[in-house]
Amino acid sequence: MKLTGAEILWECLLREGVDTVFGYPGGAILPAYDALTKYPQIHHVLVRHEQGATHMADGYARASGRVGVAVATSGPGATNMVTGIATAMMDSSPIVCITGQVGSKALGTDAFQETDVTGVTLPVTKHNILVTRPGDIARALREAFHVARSGRPGPVLVDVTKDAQQLTAEFDWDAAAPRSRPGRAFPAASSLAQALELINSAQRPVILAGQGVIQSGAEAEVMELAQRAGIPIAVTLLGIGGVPASSPSNLGMMGMHGEAWVNQAIQRADLLIALGMRFDDRVTGNLRTYAPRAKKIHVEIDPSEVNKNVAVDVALLGDLRAVLTRLLPSVHDVERGEWWAEINAMRGDSAVRDIQRLPDNGRLHAAHVIHDLWRATQGRETIVVTDVGQHQMWEAQYFRHEKSRSLITSGGLGTMGFALPAAIGAKFACPEKDVWVVVGDGGFQMTMCELATAAQEGLKVNVAIINNAFLGMVRQWQEFFYEKRYAATPITGPDFVKLAEAFGLVGMRVERRADVAPDVARALAAAGTVVVDFRVEQEDTVFPMVPAGAALDEMIRRPAPAAVPEPIAENGADPEWQMPASPPVPRKSPPRRRAPALA
């Protein structure tokens, strides 16, 4: 059938199974928006900033496993998407971004709102393409979806000129099928045999579980490997949820702000089995001193990641689930009791960082908020979307994730402003689940305009602002490494309760730990989006911390207490989380503006 290029665009999205797109109209994409009126099956979410559109598409993709779609116009509309595209690229999130472009005859003339967006985004996309003819739109879009979701997922951008949207062409869905590619080679039998020999003979092995576990759907296979061979599991930030937090095999998170005993176990291991992770700097610390006595097996779908940062002894290229399915029948049943005893001894020695047993002295700590939020959401299907900073690390430490895709966060790029829009996308992907935004007061102010999107859509998300009146993680580095010269890190903000109410939403403020659980319950019971301003301790610190350039086990830890306080049962702290800690030392803080309490 003959359709305009704009109609072909929506026809392709519909046939790719797209039901929701996030976007912002403008002149160069206007023909596509006009044609959208003929496709009521596709719900368009009007964002307040194009960066928000890409984060929403990203959150949609991470929560559902499907491809997220964002739409924008040319020039500033397209360049506003770059941060979100880069975020998706670093974290292997499958999104397709569609941008309008000036007419093909005006290309290269510096026409109004013209930008070479394919050139701009070349380093941060898995693939991008400029389409100048309507007959090429279908093939470009089908190729985009195929590339975005295949192999290691990632973002793809399709830039369509205005005249290509306006002109007509024959639409043939089948003829536009993506070009066939040779299948990915499976690891050689010799490499599999070498990996099995290392696994079965190791005395102190550790599994490093990354986001690839979730993306491959290999959760069951990883658990079978760990349980059969008696191997402890350490998870990356993006791998959280791929292994249940309650599993005895799960040691916890590794890396810069990971558990101390996890990092120590990695450093003492004689074998690391890296599954769908890329050995980034926040995981390894100083590469020269990283796991010096360990052989290394790397199971990875992207060949470019193998031997990029850490030289490995065996590389198994391919889909993680398929590789493990091949390995598991030949893995020996082993208990490895001595190794576990050593790890448990390290766990006891490292427990001083926890603050769950601090007395409730009226000072609200972010870790208390996160832990109590976890307790209050037990028994509910919950997705937590975090921003970037101290609150992100506290969430990883104190909120216990049992299921895949229950934590969505910006790992590789560390994008402040990610959380709120990504949570909106996650809620559209999983409307039946509770969605919580955990965000600092700094990052929230970058994209808080998307509260208007939530209000316009009548969407229910719950926003927990961990408000310490600082750019907290930067302030922490200034405290440790710059003699507490807090240059440009104290930050003021609006009255977040009044801000929420200005959008027609519910706002609450919490300053005492006793109020956390009841106000979380109130937020969950409210019909629409709720913003909760948690006024937490200002100069609190994330422990442990591996300084830049240090070995993985050279951690800054919370000072040991002089005496261990008794458990505070009324605070609802779990015995397994009640670990000794030192009381916070009072420090001179900059003046803080407190909004008046609402009557």
Side-chain angles (χ1 to χ4, degrees):
M1 54 183 171
K2 205 162 192 176
L3 300 173
T4 66
E7 292 168 337
I8 291 173
L9 187 156
W10 298 112
E11 193 72 36
C12 287
L13 295 187
L14 194 62
R15 297 193 188 202
E16 288 286 355
V18 174
D19 56 14
T20 306
V21 299
F22 308 92
Y24 203 98
I29 195 68
L30 209 52
Y33 271 87
D34 184 58
L36 176 60
T37 60
K38 301 177 183 179
Y39 293 88
Q41 309 96 315
I42 298 177
H43 178 63
H44 179 271
V45 178
L46 178 62
V47 304
R48 296 310 186 262
H49 191 282
E50 292 88 353
Q51 178 182 342
T54 51
H55 290 329
M56 289 180 200
D58 190 348
Y60 183 98
R62 298 196 205 202
S64 66
R66 303 190 297 272
V67 177
V69 179
V71 181
T73 193
S74 63
T79 58
N80 281 346
M81 302 178 95
V82 172
T83 297
I85 294 171
T87 301
M89 184 67 176
M90 290 287 280
D91 290 350
S92 305
S93 188
I95 67 172
V96 170
C97 295
I98 301 169
T99 53
Q101 184 55 275
V102 299
S104 57
K105 293 182 180 180
L107 289 172
T109 67
D110 289 334
F112 178 67
Q113 292 193 332
E114 180 193 1
T115 299
D116 177 11
V117 68
T118 54
V120 169
T121 60
L122 185 64
V124 293
T125 51
K126 191 177 176 185
H127 176 60
N128 68 23
I129 186 171
L130 170 64
V131 182
T132 60
R133 300 184 303 176
D136 294 335
I137 291 175
R139 184 176 295 279
L141 285 172
R142 292 202 67 180
E143 184 83 4
F145 276 81
H146 175 72
V147 172
R149 65 166 68 100
S150 63
R152 178 182 179 178
V156 178
L157 182 135
V158 180
D159 195 32
V160 187
T161 61
K162 189 170 184 178
D163 53 329
Q165 299 170 53
Q166 293 169 320
L167 298 173
T168 59
E170 289 292 333
F171 173 60
D172 189 335
W173 173 256
D174 295 328
R179 292 164 296 192
S180 61
R181 291 178 171 84
R184 187 176 298 276
F186 198 75
S190 59
S191 296
L192 292 169
Q194 189 179 359
L196 283 167
E197 172 62 26
L198 290 174
I199 293 171
N200 290 332
S201 63
Q203 299 297 311
R204 299 185 304 281
V206 177
I207 292 171
L208 310 181
Q211 188 185 27
V213 173
I214 298 169
Q215 293 181 330
S216 177
E219 296 91 340
E221 288 75 15
V222 172
M223 288 302 303
E224 183 178 350
L225 172 62
Q227 292 168 358
R228 177 181 296 185
I231 304 176
I233 304 172
V235 298
T236 67
L237 174 63
L238 295 183
I240 289 175
V243 179
S246 60
S247 169
S249 299
N250 189 349
L251 298 182
M253 186 175 71
M254 67 182 95
M256 178 174 281
H257 295 291
E259 308 291 3
W261 59 87
V262 178
N263 292 342
Q264 290 173 322
I266 291 171
Q267 291 297 85
R268 298 186 189 186
D270 64 0
L271 176 65
L272 299 181
I273 308 168
L275 305 178
M277 54 86 70
R278 58 188 181 87
F279 289 110
D280 69 276
D281 59 296
R282 291 299 174 100
V283 161
T284 63
N286 190 324
L287 287 171
R288 292 193 300 273
T289 58
Y290 179 67
R293 293 177 291 276
K295 298 285 188 179
K296 300 172 183 71
I297 300 170
H298 196 180
V299 186
E300 174 59 47
I301 200 167
D302 184 355
S304 68
E305 292 294 346
V306 177
N307 293 317
K308 184 176 79 173
N309 297 324
V310 173
V312 300
D313 298 276
V314 183
L316 301 177
L317 291 173
D319 176 74
L320 176 59
R321 185 178 181 185
V323 172
L324 290 181
T325 300
R326 185 77 170 270
L327 283 174
L328 281 169
S330 301
V331 173
H332 295 170
D333 291 351
V334 185
E335 289 187 2
R336 294 190 166 93
E338 291 185 7
W339 178 222
W340 275 102
E342 185 177 343
I343 290 172
N344 288 332
M346 291 187 289
R347 189 196 304 259
D349 290 343
S350 302
V352 295
R353 72 111 169 111
D354 201 284
I355 68 168
Q356 288 304 312
R357 291 177 67 179
L358 283 177
D360 188 352
N361 59 4
R363 302 168 71 173
L364 182 62
H365 291 269
H368 288 153
V369 173
I370 301 298
H371 186 63
D372 290 351
L373 176 61
W374 168 68
R375 290 178 56 83
T377 56
Q378 291 296 283
R380 304 175 69 103
E381 287 286 333
T382 303
I383 296 173
V384 179
V385 186
T386 82
D387 218 76
V388 173
Q390 288 181 311
H391 65 276
Q392 180 187 32
M393 297 298 103
W394 280 315
E395 199 284 344
Q397 291 176 342
Y398 291 96
F399 197 107
R400 310 186 70 192
H401 291 270
E402 297 294 317
K403 295 183 179 180
S404 291
R405 304 188 186 278
S406 62
L407 171 61
I408 297 172
T409 190
S410 172
L413 196 64
T415 306
M416 291 178 66
F418 171 81
L420 176 59
I424 291 173
K427 185 64 177 180
F428 274 105
C430 303
E432 75 285 358
K433 296 182 180 181
D434 295 331
V435 175
W436 277 90
V437 179
V438 175
V439 62
D441 49 317
F444 180 68
Q445 291 185 70
M446 288 188 170
T447 54
M448 63 186 179
C449 58
E450 300 303 344
L451 285 177
T453 302
Q456 181 169 334
E457 291 290 332
L459 208 63
K460 167 64 171 173
V461 295
N462 308 291
V463 182
I465 303 175
I466 308 302
N467 184 357
N468 59 10
F470 272 108
L471 301 178
M473 187 59 81
V474 186
R475 182 214 61 78
Q476 178 169 325
W477 280 62
Q478 290 172 330
E479 176 185 349
F480 286 172
F481 309 119
Y482 294 89
E483 299 178 347
K484 297 184 68 175
R485 293 188 293 274
Y486 293 163
T489 47
I491 184 172
T492 61
D495 182 327
F496 292 118
V497 174
K498 290 182 179 179
L499 178 74
E501 292 171 347
F503 286 112
L505 306 174
V506 176
M508 294 185 282
R509 182 174 294 112
V510 177
E511 298 183 282
R512 300 185 309 142
R513 189 177 184 190
D515 295 333
V516 173
D519 279 356
V520 167
R522 285 176 55 204
L524 289 169
T529 289
V530 178
V531 176
V532 188
D533 179 13
F534 290 100
R535 296 295 186 94
V536 299
E537 187 70 14
Q538 288 185 266
E539 293 184 86
D540 206 353
T541 304
V542 179
F543 288 107
M545 177 181 180
V546 179
L552 189 60
D553 55 353
E554 294 176 348
M555 292 158 284
I556 300 174
R557 308 188 200 183
R558 185 181 294 276
V564 178
E566 292 299 316
I568 308 298
E570 61 269 25
N571 282 349
D574 289 339
E576 64 193 281
W577 284 78
Q578 292 172 351
M579 302 178 184
S582 62
V585 178
R587 295 178 179 132
K588 187 176 181 180
S589 302
R592 177 173 183 169
R593 296 179 182 177
R594 292 280 188 178
L598 298 179

